[in-house]
Amino acid sequence: MSSLPRSAVSVSRPGDPPGGRRALFVWGVGVAVYFVAVIFRTSLGVAGLDAVERFHVSASALSTFSILQLLVYAGMQIPVGLLVDRLGTRKVLAIGAVLFTAGQLGFALSPSYGTALAARALLGCGDAMTFINVLRLGGRWFPARRGPLIAQFAALAGMAGNLVSTLLLARLLHGVGWTAAFAGSALAGVVVLVLVLLFLKDHPEGHEPEPLPHQGAAYVRRQIAAAWREPGTRLGLWVHFTTQFPAMVFLLLWGLPFLVEAEGLTRTAAGELLTLVVVSNMVIGPVYGQIVARHHAARLPLALGTIVATAVMWAATLAHPGGPAPMWLLVALCVVLGACGPASMIGFDFARPANPPERQGTASGITNMGGFIASMTALLATGVLLDGTGGDYTVAFSAVFVLQALGVSQILRLRGRAARRERERLVASRVETVHVPA
C-alpha cells in the first residue's frame, strides 16, 4: 500500500458544505416533512383492530392496507431517486406532502374498504418521496463526515413521528372517533407543505451541484444500472432488507393484535410496549450513528449483531413454554426491536460512499427498497398464516426467520466485494486529494 501523507487523509473534500445553523434550519424543515409522513404511515398500527370493525375485514384483508402502502412505497423508490436527482429536494418534497396529506384525509373519509385502500396507496406514494429527500438534503448541507450521524438523526425524527402516532393518535382515535382523528391529523401535512414552500432550499449558496444531462430513457437505465453494479449499493439494500422489517411488522400492524390476542395484554399495556420500541429506537439511533461515524469498520458487526439479537428474542418469545411470555421477556423483545431501525440506516452507509453525488438519489432509492420489500412480504405472510392457522401467531411470525436467513446469506455473499471496491475508491480519493493544487 502506498504511504500517503497523514494530512491527505484528513483533508475535507473539495466543495464540502460547511453545515452550521442555517443548514440545521433547512434540514429541519425537511425532517419535519418526514416526521409527519411517518405519523401518517404508522397511524394504522394503532387502528388495526378499529379498522377490522369499521370495514368488516379479515386478518389478510387488514394486512393488505399496509402491504399496498409499502408496495407503492417500495415501487416508487427508484423513480423518486431519479426524480430527486433531476428536480431537486424542494419540489419533490412538496409533491410528497400534497400526496400523503390527501391520502390521510381520504383514509379518514373513506366509506368502504376499497376507497380506504386507494387512500393508503396515495399515502404510500407521498411517503416514498420523503426519506430519500431528507438524506439528500443532509448531504447537500452538511460535511460528508457527518453523513452517518445526520442520517441517524433523520431516522430518529421518524421514530418520534411513530411515537406521536402511538401515543397521541391512539388517544384521539378512541376519544373523538375515526373520522375526526384521521382528518385532524391531516392538518399537519398542510403545515409542513407551507414550511417547504417558504423556507426549504436544495443547497447552500456556492454549492450548486453540476447540472445533469437531459434524462431520456437511456440515461435513466444507465443511472440505475451503474448504481446497481456497485457492490456497496446491493450490500446496502440487503442490510436494509434484513434489519428493518421485524420492527416495521410489529409497529405497522401486527404488534398490537399479537400482544392483545396472543399475549393477553390490555390495549393500554400493549400500547406502552409499542411505545417502548420507539423509545428504544430513539436512544439507540444516535449511539449507532456515533459508532459508525467514528469507526467505519463497525458497520457490518453492528448490523449482523442486531439481526442475531432480534432472531434470538423472537424465538425466545414465541417458543416460551407454558402460555404467554412473561412481561420481562416482552420488554426485552421490544428493546431489541428498537435497534432494527438504527441498524437499517447502516445500509445507506454502504451505498453512499459507493456512488458519486449525481447518483446518490438513485442509490438511496435502491437501498431503501430493501426493508420495505421485506416488510411487505412479512406483513402478507403473517396475515395469510394467521388466517390459515386460526390465529396462531407462533406459526405466523415464523416468516421473520425465513426472511432473516435470506438476507444474511446475501450480506455474507456481498461483503467481500463491497469492501474491496470501497478500498479502491478510498485509495483513489486519497491520491486525488494529494494532487489537489494549494
Side-chain angles (χ1 to χ4, degrees):
M1 181 180 292
S2 67
S3 56
L4 297 172
R6 185 176 180 85
S7 59
V9 179
S10 59
V11 172
S12 296
R13 295 181 182 180
D16 233 10
R21 292 183 181 179
R22 174 67 174 162
L24 279 172
F25 175 76
V26 174
W27 177 75
V29 172
V31 168
V33 180
Y34 177 57
F35 170 78
V36 173
V38 174
I39 293 176
F40 293 177
R41 178 201 303 170
T42 57
S43 57
L44 187 61
V46 297
L49 297 177
D50 299 88
V52 169
E53 296 176 5
R54 181 178 177 87
F55 300 113
H56 309 290
V57 294
S58 65
S60 296
L62 177 62
S63 65
T64 303
F65 278 123
S66 294
I67 291 165
L68 178 61
Q69 183 180 330
L70 294 181
L71 177 63
V72 172
Y73 186 105
M76 286 291 294
Q77 287 307 294
I78 292 178
V80 168
L82 293 165
L83 200 62
V84 173
D85 288 338
R86 182 63 182 173
L87 297 181
T89 302
R90 183 174 180 271
K91 291 179 181 178
V92 180
L93 267 183
I95 295 170
V98 170
L99 292 176
F100 66 60
T101 301
Q104 185 76 342
L105 183 60
F107 195 59
L109 304 175
S110 293
S112 66
Y113 177 67
T115 54
L117 273 178
R120 294 307 284 188
L122 188 63
L123 193 158
C125 186
D127 184 16
M129 298 183 178
T130 58
F131 190 64
I132 290 178
N133 276 286
V134 173
L135 289 180
R136 180 187 172 96
L137 203 62
R140 294 294 191 198
W141 282 88
F142 293 95
R145 67 181 182 278
R146 302 291 186 191
L149 195 58
I150 291 297
Q152 287 289 356
F153 275 115
L156 185 66
M159 292 311 295
N162 202 326
L163 189 62
V164 169
S165 179
T166 303
L167 296 178
L168 182 58
L169 191 59
R171 291 183 181 179
L172 282 174
L173 188 64
H174 298 109
V176 300
W178 180 282
T179 301
F182 281 100
S185 66
L187 292 174
V190 177
V191 172
V192 294
L193 174 60
V194 171
L195 290 176
V196 168
L197 296 176
L198 291 179
F199 300 113
L200 196 136
K201 290 187 64 177
D202 285 4
H203 46 74
E205 297 292 338
H207 292 270
E208 293 81 1
E210 291 291 327
L212 291 175
H214 176 70
Q215 287 191 341
Y219 175 85
V220 170
R221 287 194 297 269
R222 288 196 301 271
Q223 191 84 333
I224 295 171
W228 182 255
R229 278 196 300 269
E230 291 292 344
T233 304
R234 283 175 281 144
L235 179 59
L237 179 147
W238 284 107
V239 168
H240 200 267
F241 178 102
T242 317
T243 53
Q244 188 197 50
F245 81 90
M248 287 283 285
V249 169
F250 200 78
L251 290 171
L252 273 181
L253 189 60
W254 292 121
L256 187 69
F258 165 70
L259 294 171
V260 172
E261 296 175 354
E263 299 300 322
L265 301 183
T266 64
R267 280 198 180 202
T268 301
E272 289 171 352
L273 285 176
L274 293 181
T275 303
L276 179 60
V277 177
V278 178
V279 172
S280 172
N281 184 298
M282 297 174 73
V283 171
I284 294 171
V287 175
Y288 275 27
Q290 288 279 13
I291 292 172
V292 171
R294 296 179 181 181
H295 308 284
H296 225 43
R299 292 173 298 173
L300 207 54
L302 276 179
L304 291 173
T306 303
I307 294 166
V308 170
T310 304
V312 168
M313 293 310 305
W314 263 124
T317 302
L318 297 175
H320 187 269
M327 181 57 74
W328 67 265
L329 185 55
L330 294 176
V331 167
L333 170 66
C334 290
V335 170
V336 171
L337 285 176
C340 290
S344 73
M345 297 303 300
I346 295 172
F348 296 101
D349 291 317
F350 285 107
R352 189 184 302 111
N355 292 273
E358 65 272 14
R359 224 167 46 220
Q360 290 293 320
T362 305
S364 295
I366 292 172
T367 301
N368 209 25
M369 287 175 63
F372 289 93
I373 291 173
S375 298
M376 178 179 60
T377 305
L379 284 167
L380 176 60
T382 301
V384 170
L385 289 171
L386 281 174
D387 283 342
T389 60
D392 189 334
Y393 280 93
T394 300
V395 174
F397 279 139
S398 63
V400 170
F401 305 110
V402 176
L403 291 173
Q404 284 184 320
L406 171 63
V408 168
S409 69
Q410 294 301 311
I411 291 170
L412 296 179
R413 182 177 69 86
L414 289 164
R415 62 176 179 171
R417 289 183 236 175
R420 286 192 296 273
R421 180 68 171 144
E422 193 166 303
R423 283 195 298 269
E424 291 170 3
R425 283 185 173 275
L426 181 59
V427 170
S429 67
R430 287 176 176 175
V431 170
E432 288 177 7
T433 303
V434 168
H435 289 93
V436 169

